[in-house]
Each structure stands twice: as C-alpha cells, then as structure tokens.
Amino acid sequence: MSQTCKKRLSGLILPNVMTSTNDLSAFLIQTHSLAPYGLRRLSTLSPPCRRRSGDDFPKSNFSAAYTSSSSTEHRHIRSEEKAWAHWRKLKQPKLIVAPMYDASELPFRMLCRKYGAEAAYTPMLHSRIFAESKKYRSKEFTTCKEDRPLFVQFCGNDPEILLEAAYQVESYCDYVDINLGCPQRIARTGNYGAFLMDNLPLIKSLVTKLATNLTTPVSCKIRLFPSLHDTINYVKLLEDSGCSLIAVHGRTRDERTKERANWDAIKSVKSSVKIPVLANGNIRHMDDVEKCLELTGADGVMSAEALLDNPALFGGFRSGDWVAEGDDGFEDGGVDRGRLMVEYLKLCEKYPVKMGIIVSHVYGMLGKWFDEHPDVRDDFNKEKELSFEYIYRMVDRLRARGVQFPLYVKKI
C-alpha cells in the first residue's frame, strides 16, 4: 500500500429518485432486525457494478413513528452492546483527527498521534475507483501498525460498489466510514457526501449493506439538517440501519466554518441514539475540547482545520491566536511550527507522499512565517524542483530571521 487520497473525486452514479430534505418524517425508521456485526454473514465478493438505477430506491410515504417487536428490539440491543464493546476495546479515544482531503494522509496522522491524537480518519477515498483499480488502492491508501485506531472513509452512492471497496480495507482499520457530510461542489456533482441527505432510502441501503456484510463496524460522518427534528430522525435511521458510530459535524450542508458549529444539536443527537457519537466543529484548542465534551456529552471530538495550522493541538499546545494579550497563565511550550514541519518531513521520508500534499502542509504550518517574510514564500513558490533538502533549508532560513511563532501551553 502507498499514498492516501489525493485525486479529484467525481463520476459516481447519479440516482434518479430523490427524497425531499424538508420532510424526513416521510421515511419510516422501521428496521431493527440487523444482525450485530459479530454475527454477520459475509457475502460473496462480486465484480464491480457498472450500472445502478435510482429506481432501486423508490419514494415512500411513511411515518417517522415506529414500533418494534420484542425480538427485533432484542437484536437492536445486542447491536448497541457490540458497538460499545468495540469502542471500549479501542480504549474510547476522545481526540480524533478528522478526514481531510489531501491532508489527513499517513505522515500527518502520525504527526498528530505523536502530539496526543488518539484516533484518526484517512482522507476520503472514492469507492468505485478504489474497488476497480489496484493502482488507485496502492497509491491512495497507506497505513502502518502504529496507525490505529483508524477510520477509513469512503464516498459512494452504490451499495455493492461501496461494499466491494470496504472489503479491501476492513482488515486494516477499526471502522469503515461512509462520508455523508462533504458539502463541496464536487460532492454535489458526484452525488455523494452531504448530498445523499436528499435520498434517505439510498443512505439506508448503503449502511445496511456494509453493516450486514463486514466484520468491521460501520461509522457515518454527517451534517445537520436545518430542522432538529429531521436530524434526530436521520441519526435514528442510521442507528437502526446498523451504524455503530456517528460523527456529527455541527453545521448544515450550506454552512461553512466561519459559522459557529451547533453544539446544542450535537447534544440532542447524543441523547437520541444509543451508540457512540463524535462531535466536530469549532475545536481550536484543548479548552474547546473540554467545553464541547461537557456541553454535548459526546464520546469524543474531531478537529480538522485547526490541526492543519497546529498538529500539536491535542497535546495541549495552542498558537498565540488563542492566548489573550497579557494572559500570564500560558508559557512557551518549547515547540514551534518549524519543529513540527521538520518532524512532518521526516515522517514523509519514512512514509512517502506526493510533493503536492507536502506543499499544502508547508503552507498550513509555516503560513504565519510566510506572512512575515513574503520573500521566502515567493522563493518557495518559484522553486521548480522542490525537495526535502530545500524545505529543511527554508525552515533554517526562516529561523535565522529571528522571528518566532511559538506554541503555548498552560502553566502548571
């Protein structure tokens, strides 16, 4: 296996039937009879499906209210117990690296783990290409023995193809994750991520297909509906379909990171399901971690953009942006972004990735230095033959300028 997800994602099959996001109560949450993953029957791996019809997922006029027989309730309880037993086996990680396109690759995951991250997601992988192309698999998915617990995330809209992709990784991870939260234009074009929220029967079929065939638990990363009622119905659907963990980005499909994440909605999700829940949104330093866990009751938190700037976040380090002027409760932690950059490069030498990914992390970690010394940034932009040696020298050059951007820790 080699590099993690780097390619643009498109070309997934567009279903013909869509269910309105404005009336989730029209979809009956009625199936409790999924076998717990410890007792699931493995289906035979089939060739890639070249065509799927949206007619496989007809519209339904159901009520959100449902009743369960004692036998299906019993099986549902056993499924919950399995979900929690697995989570406890993983030592219930609370500090988690979120999936990031071209950013949560193996070297970056390992850097974050060094500084306190307790679990991590791969970047999003395209299920159809992953299932069909050995070359794509070998280039886009890399892991190692120390890279656990690990969530491997796929996008997709075809249950058979998604399952075939998942079969390739279930022995190398702790959860197979379905991306139901990507709000980007490419997800709209490919009909995956948060845009599957328009077709709940399809989502149900994706989760059920994996949950009833894999030996590894299934997780889902989602966004909120504008209506809390719809969101609650949505997460109950996921739980009843066999999902063992739900990661909730506390924003809707149309909201961006400049808007405050809705931790209250995540709290409502946590109180509505009986499986582990992770909170995502506005985790910038460890004070945010503590507040989020306390307010939401979530079982863990995820961070994305803040880690790109400061991969040592979960180690208690924070940038000067989050230390108030005159606050004497913090001190220089002895780590700066230059050191983090060097440590990241050494990991890249051990676990090779393409230079484009490295360049993105250079801008993430050294961006403040570049703002202070634009001539160094300009030289970096002009360099046509980037190498590890060049970036090491550039870090030395920036340090020699005498301007430092330390990371701070709380005084003991």
Side-chain angles (χ1 to χ4, degrees):
M1 293 180 294
S2 186
Q3 297 149 265
T4 45
C5 184
K6 311 176 193 94
K7 297 182 181 178
R8 301 299 293 176
L9 305 174
S10 61
L12 286 169
I13 303 164
L14 294 171
N16 299 323
V17 177
M18 307 298 283
T19 301
S20 171
T21 60
N22 297 324
D23 188 12
L24 280 182
S25 62
F27 189 77
L28 175 61
I29 304 169
Q30 60 180 357
T31 304
H32 288 257
S33 58
L34 299 175
Y37 51 79
L39 300 173
R40 287 174 188 145
R41 176 182 60 82
L42 288 177
S43 68
T44 303
L45 184 60
S46 58
C49 296
R50 303 296 180 181
R51 180 180 60 86
R52 294 285 290 183
S53 170
D55 293 337
D56 290 343
F57 309 105
K59 291 183 179 179
S60 304
N61 294 315
F62 296 136
S63 166
Y66 62 86
T67 59
S68 302
S69 67
S70 60
S71 61
T72 56
E73 285 178 348
H74 178 66
R75 284 192 290 269
H76 188 53
I77 291 171
R78 291 175 63 192
S79 183
E80 295 164 6
E81 291 173 350
K82 290 284 186 179
W84 279 106
H86 184 73
W87 187 241
R88 287 191 292 269
K89 181 181 177 182
L90 299 178
K91 300 182 180 180
Q92 303 182 78
K94 284 185 165 51
L95 310 175
I96 300 165
V97 180
M100 293 174 279
Y101 179 75
D102 264 8
S104 60
E105 82 293 345
L106 177 58
F108 189 76
R109 296 197 302 269
M110 296 306 293
L111 179 63
C112 292
R113 289 180 191 275
K114 177 179 179 179
Y115 286 96
E118 298 170 347
Y121 282 70
T122 67
M124 177 177 67
L125 300 167
H126 189 300
S127 61
R128 179 181 57 79
I129 304 175
F130 199 90
E132 295 178 354
S133 172
K134 182 178 180 180
K135 180 179 179 181
Y136 180 86
R137 292 194 297 271
S138 66
K139 292 181 64 176
E140 308 302 335
F141 173 59
T142 300
T143 188
C144 64
K145 182 177 66 173
E146 297 79 15
D147 188 30
R148 305 292 284 267
L150 180 66
F151 295 71
V152 176
Q153 186 183 78
F154 288 105
C155 68
N157 59 27
D158 184 295
E160 296 292 344
I161 291 176
L162 185 61
L163 176 62
E164 187 171 345
Y167 276 142
Q168 306 291 331
V169 302
E170 66 171 332
S171 298
Y172 304 100
C173 65
D174 301 284
Y175 288 93
V176 173
D177 187 76
I178 305 175
N179 183 333
L180 301 175
C182 180
Q184 303 300 324
R185 182 180 303 172
I186 193 169
R188 181 192 293 274
T189 301
N191 191 49
Y192 59 79
F195 297 94
L196 294 182
M197 295 166 73
D198 296 333
N199 191 336
L200 295 182
L202 175 53
I203 287 179
K204 177 180 176 63
S205 70
L206 293 171
V207 178
T208 301
K209 175 61 74 172
L210 297 193
T212 55
N213 287 280
L214 296 179
T215 57
T216 299
V218 178
S219 62
C220 295
K221 188 171 187 296
I222 69 168
R223 284 194 172 232
L224 304 173
F225 278 92
S227 160
L228 180 59
H229 174 73
D230 287 349
T231 299
I232 299 306
N233 283 340
Y234 181 33
V235 296
K236 287 181 177 179
L237 165 68
L238 296 175
E239 181 181 39
D240 293 348
S241 300
C243 181
S244 294
L245 178 146
I246 299 174
V248 186
H249 189 138
R251 298 181 177 91
T252 68
R253 187 169 69 189
D254 298 324
E255 292 176 330
R256 296 297 179 259
T257 53
K258 65 180 180 180
E259 298 172 81
R260 183 76 184 172
N262 188 344
W263 288 357
D264 289 330
I266 298 176
K267 178 181 180 180
S268 296
V269 168
K270 173 59 184 173
S271 64
S272 300
V273 296
K274 297 178 181 179
I275 57 176
V277 171
L278 306 180
N280 183 205
N282 291 120
I283 303 299
R284 303 157 298 183
H285 45 71
M286 287 303 291
D287 285 351
D288 286 338
V289 170
E290 294 172 6
K291 290 176 183 177
C292 183
L293 290 173
E294 180 180 2
L295 190 150
T296 65
D299 302 289
V301 300
M302 305 166 65
S303 185
E305 289 192 9
L307 285 173
L308 297 177
D309 173 68
N310 171 23
L313 184 159
F314 288 140
F317 296 87
R318 68 177 68 192
S319 71
D321 297 334
W322 306 112
V323 177
E325 187 174 352
D327 187 343
D328 61 359
F330 292 86
E331 61 185 359
D332 189 331
V335 174
D336 66 6
R337 291 178 179 82
R339 173 174 164 178
L340 293 175
M341 189 73 247
V342 169
E343 291 179 354
Y344 171 70
L345 290 174
K346 291 185 180 301
L347 286 166
C348 289
E349 292 186 82
K350 185 176 182 180
Y351 308 112
V353 295
K354 70 179 183 181
M355 186 57 70
I357 292 178
I358 297 174
V359 168
S360 295
H361 284 301
V362 168
Y363 282 107
M365 288 183 241
L366 302 183
K368 286 184 170 56
W369 257 340
F370 283 166
D371 291 342
E372 191 74 20
H373 303 289
D375 60 312
V376 178
R377 179 194 60 212
D378 292 343
D379 289 344
F380 179 67
N381 290 339
K382 294 174 185 176
E383 180 61 36
K384 294 182 179 180
E385 297 184 4
L386 286 173
S387 65
F388 289 108
E389 291 72 20
Y390 180 93
I391 301 174
Y392 284 131
R393 290 197 303 270
M394 183 179 69
V395 171
D396 291 339
R397 181 182 174 191
L398 288 166
R399 282 175 169 159
R401 298 287 180 96
V403 177
Q404 298 296 320
F405 294 97
L407 296 172
Y408 297 89
V409 294
K410 286 187 176 181
K411 291 181 179 178
I412 300 176

